[in-house]
Amino acid sequence: MDSTRFGCWVFLICLLLSTTGYSRNLTSRPAVVNIGALFTFESSIGRVAKIAIQEAVKDVNANSSILRGTKLNVDMRNSNCSGFLGMVEALRFMETDIVAIIGPQSSVVARIISHVANQLQVPLLSFSATDPSLNSLQFPFFVQTTQSDLHQMAAISDVVDYYGWKQVTAIYIDDDYGRNGMSALGDKLAERRCRISYKVGVPPDSGVNRTDILDMLIKVASMESRVIVLHVNPDVGFEVFSVANRLQMMGNGWVWIATDWLSSVLDSASPLQSETMDSIQGVLFFRQHTPDSDRKRAFYSRWRKLTGGSSGLNSYGLYAYDSVWLIAHAIDAFFNQGGIISFSNDSRLRSVKDSGLHLEAMGIFDDGKLLLNNILQSDLVGLTGRIKFDTDRSLILPAYDVNNVFGTGFKRIGYWSNYSGLTVVPPEILYTKPPNRSSANQELYKVIWPGDTLSTPRGWAFANNGKQLRIGVPLRVSFREFVSQAQGTDTFKGFCIDVFTSAITLLPYPVQYQFIPFGDGKNNPSYSELVYKITTGFFDAVVGDVAIVTNRTKILDFTQPYVASGLVVVAPFRKSNSGAWTFLGPFSARLWIVTGCFFFVVGVVVWILEHRINDEFRGPPKRQIITVIWFSLSTLFSTHRENTMSTLARFVLLIWLFVVLIINSNYTASLTSILTVHQLSSHIKGIENLKESGEPVGYQVGSFAEYYLSEEVGISKSRLVALGSPEEYAKALQLGPGKGGVAAIVDERPYVELFLARQCKFRIVGREFTKSGWGFAFPRDSPLAVDMSTAILALSENGDLQRIHDKWLMQSTCSSDTSELEADKLYLRSFWGLFLLCGLACFISLVIHVLQIIRLFYAAPAESASPGQCPSRPGCIRRLLTLMDQKEEPTKNASKRRKLERSLSGKDQDGESLRNPKRKETERTIGATST
């Protein structure tokens, strides 16, 4: 048995050596485990990280519950801010029995050596490489133990959106770290309908000088955006602030947002020199948020003793400390799972053995994947909070502090987390509550902005590059009162132009612009093509009679409408004289029929309810029919003579009289309008009637009416006729559809009102069937559109907008018959609710009445049958009809009548006795004899 087991072990070892080479080390739980650390010792991050890593190793080795007898040893190497040196030091690590590397500090170095780590299966844990692309599947052995810049860029985007800015200028270090950060920022801004309007890269090497930065910032200052995002390293960043301060770019109106590079310096090197602090006043910057805890406060106290106050502790130092503990827990779990620290040579490196590079000395960590899995599955609490990775291999619950530099230091104005957005409450408190990312829940404290002001900067200004706004203006050939070009000049005039120039003078800043005509001057241009020129960048804006419609608002921003508009139908009319049948005009045929039917129905229902108890509804059939007709018609004038005794009949009559009152009032008003207000008529009554007529329809050339009529209303394009001027309007309407003209014209109300001011033979028929307005068009998210809207509202409030309207458009010459042609007929759809109410009242009353008859039918005894029984079906029907026709006295009236009859009978008998005493005596004698 022992020899068999020994043979199996030999076989397994030989198999392992034949596939990967030979094993350099083989032990289950060694006395010492070596890890590496690679960063720049003399950087603001490296100086703090070095001390933090050393202290973390001491704490791990002093804790008997971790590694249990195995000591953790760290080998630190200096990359000296060089990607090449960092790669060399990383390769030197691979020649030793290093099981994991803390670092590198730089994202650029991390990208380079991650390829080596993938091949040799050695995990890299970086506490400061924040490039968001490093978490991709391309680098499976790279682990970010700090927050990714993907979340930092989301935080910046939320701040930009919170203050209402729409575009930013980005200055970044031109390497993988900077470019990938800007890519993430652009994506996050796009999610909030914001964008990077201009970005400029700074060379990553130290060769950049002050002159280069000066030229770069001069170009930045000439751009429109005044919100600057600075994503660089500390040396370049402070140089940029110094030059910007010299160029007065740190004053009023400017916004500077720095990424977490600034927090690493302020936390570890504060206080800075006064000159440096003066150059960054009002700057917003971000810092990785680490929850407050007793353990964290104790470490800060310990840090002050270690450094003597010469160096502060930044968040990267905390992440470096936690990275050591993360490796220690993962190695401990690795040993508990039976992991063995062993390295094997890659047979592929033997071919370069004699090259002098000594690559054959590098070994593959055989159980590197097991250690990596333990790292990614770790769940512990460190100085930075909970350390746990999500499915994207990023730390869970990312959060940042939002800080504002002022005076000799800075203050925290709020927090950001992907759980609740911007708040003034620490994220760890909000994690216990449901997430709330609504805009109303976003909050930050007051900021002291550059220029020492509390007023939130507008975030943009007109580009100071001598370039004027190119404003497109339609070159109209008709309705020139709205827009027209002065002949032989480059100037424009008209209602729309005056509104624009008046509004732009109200802006709190100067605007340089030039009007560019659009069109051939022979026909009105296509307004859809005109506004599309904005999206291509050909025009910066469009001023004119541009309708605000849905398909345009999807690609452009419009100002507040400065004139109300909407499509209306214009048709010829004729004066109609009152005829013999004018009184039928107020009601449509259907309404007349339904009203007449209800008169008859209500009369029949009241007759049924009153027939058994009311003598006025009884008698011969002829009389009863006349009574029903008379009663129902007389309710129209409330002159019915018949009294109703039934409660149900009174209920029906009450509802019916209310319906009659409403109908009568509307009839009177409509007839009065027909006979006295105007007597105009047209066979076209509105858009629906026009659609069904099948006749030609005119529209203005270049107007959106063509699209609306064909696509929205459903009128065939073959029926649409393009017309270019008011004269063509009048000619086409006068000819009519039978002579090559049109039945009606559909156009926007401002044009139509101007047309009807000179043409009194036509009128608007029906009602306005779209609601829109005219506005000035700008590119999407243009801040100028917002300011111009405010200026237009100011023009409206101070009366200037009305005065401009009266100047250009109040030119009416038609002195009479200026009313629109609207349908005077009343239709059933306006009263169906009343008729429904009356019908329900009749139905309910009849049901109750029938139930009462049935109850009497079963309760009343028959001549030859017990109650409720009939000798035959015809007998039952006959008996039921007899019961329905039978006269019934109301209970109270019957009792009173019986009392009255008994009283009258007694009095009659006494009177007869007094008048004829002999007869009374004879009656007594007969009575006695019979007894």
Side-chain angles (χ1 to χ4, degrees), residues 265-274 276-277 309-312 407-410:
V265 177
L266 293 177
D267 287 338
S268 58
S270 271
L272 300 178
Q273 296 180 359
S274 59
T276 303
M277 289 302 298
S310 61
S311 176
T408 58
F410 60 89

Side-chain angles (χ1 to χ4, degrees), residues 430 778 828:
L430 298 176
F778 292 88
L828 179 61

Side-chain angles (χ1 to χ4, degrees), residues 297-350:
R297 286 191 291 270
F299 189 78
Y300 267 96
S301 176
R302 175 181 168 188
W303 183 271
R304 286 190 290 269
K305 293 179 182 179
L306 287 171
T307 62
S310 61
S311 176
L313 176 62
N314 57 42
S315 58
Y316 287 114
L318 298 176
Y319 281 110
Y321 181 91
D322 283 350
S323 297
V324 175
W325 276 91
L326 175 62
I327 291 178
H329 280 277
I331 291 174
D332 188 53
F334 171 82
F335 287 144
N336 291 337
Q337 296 170 2
I340 298 175
I341 297 178
S342 63
F343 297 86
S344 302
N345 287 103
D346 191 341
S347 58
R348 292 171 295 181
L349 297 177
R350 294 178 183 176

Side-chain angles (χ1 to χ4, degrees), residues 531-558:
V531 297
Y532 182 75
K533 292 286 186 180
I534 297 178
T535 63
T536 63
F538 186 80
F539 289 136
D540 298 313
V542 167
V543 171
D545 46 339
V546 181
I548 305 173
V549 294
T550 304
N551 60 341
R552 294 174 183 170
T553 58
K554 293 178 180 178
I555 58 175
L556 301 170
D557 277 352
F558 284 87

Side-chain angles (χ1 to χ4, degrees), residues 325-466:
W325 276 91
L326 175 62
I327 291 178
H329 280 277
I331 291 174
D332 188 53
F334 171 82
F335 287 144
N336 291 337
Q337 296 170 2
I340 298 175
I341 297 178
S342 63
F343 297 86
S344 302
N345 287 103
D346 191 341
S347 58
R348 292 171 295 181
L349 297 177
R350 294 178 183 176
S351 59
V352 294
K353 181 176 181 181
D354 299 329
S355 64
L357 297 176
H358 304 290
L359 296 179
E360 72 280 358
M362 292 189 297
I364 298 174
F365 184 15
D366 296 328
D367 283 339
K369 290 184 178 180
L370 178 61
L371 179 60
L372 175 65
N373 290 335
N374 284 318
I375 292 172
L376 295 176
Q377 293 172 8
S378 298
D379 189 357
L380 62 148
V381 177
L383 297 180
T384 58
R386 188 179 179 188
I387 305 173
K388 181 178 175 60
F389 297 93
D390 58 21
T391 55
D392 294 330
R393 297 153 50 92
S394 298
L395 289 175
I396 63 172
L397 304 177
Y400 284 85
D401 297 338
V402 186
N403 302 288
N404 177 214
V405 179
F406 77 100
T408 58
F410 60 89
K411 67 173 182 178
R412 183 171 52 213
I413 60 170
Y415 306 88
W416 176 92
S417 70
N418 68 341
Y419 187 80
S420 55
L422 297 171
T423 65
V424 294
V425 180
E428 52 271 19
I429 296 177
L430 298 176
Y431 292 149
T432 61
K433 303 177 181 179
N436 187 352
R437 293 297 300 268
S438 65
S439 58
N441 198 53
Q442 305 301 290
E443 182 182 7
L444 291 174
Y445 289 125
K446 289 289 186 180
V447 176
I448 299 178
W449 301 100
D452 196 23
T453 177
L454 291 173
S455 300
T456 302
R458 190 170 62 244
W460 71 279
F462 277 101
N464 187 22
N465 52 14

Side-chain angles (χ1 to χ4, degrees), residues 71 88 213 225 240 298 403 437 545 603 619 663 667 684 762 790:
K71 293 298 182 181
V88 171
I213 294 177
S225 174
V240 168
N403 302 288
R437 293 297 300 268
D545 46 339
I663 293 177
Y667 175 85
I684 301 297
F762 315 104
T790 304

Side-chain angles (χ1 to χ4, degrees), residues 495 499 562 795-810:
F495 170 70
V499 172
Y562 58 87
L795 289 176
S796 177
E797 292 172 357
N798 62 26
D800 287 345
L801 189 60
Q802 184 61 44
R803 283 189 285 272
I804 296 173
H805 177 276
D806 295 344
K807 171 186 174 182
W808 289 98
L809 305 180
M810 291 295 289

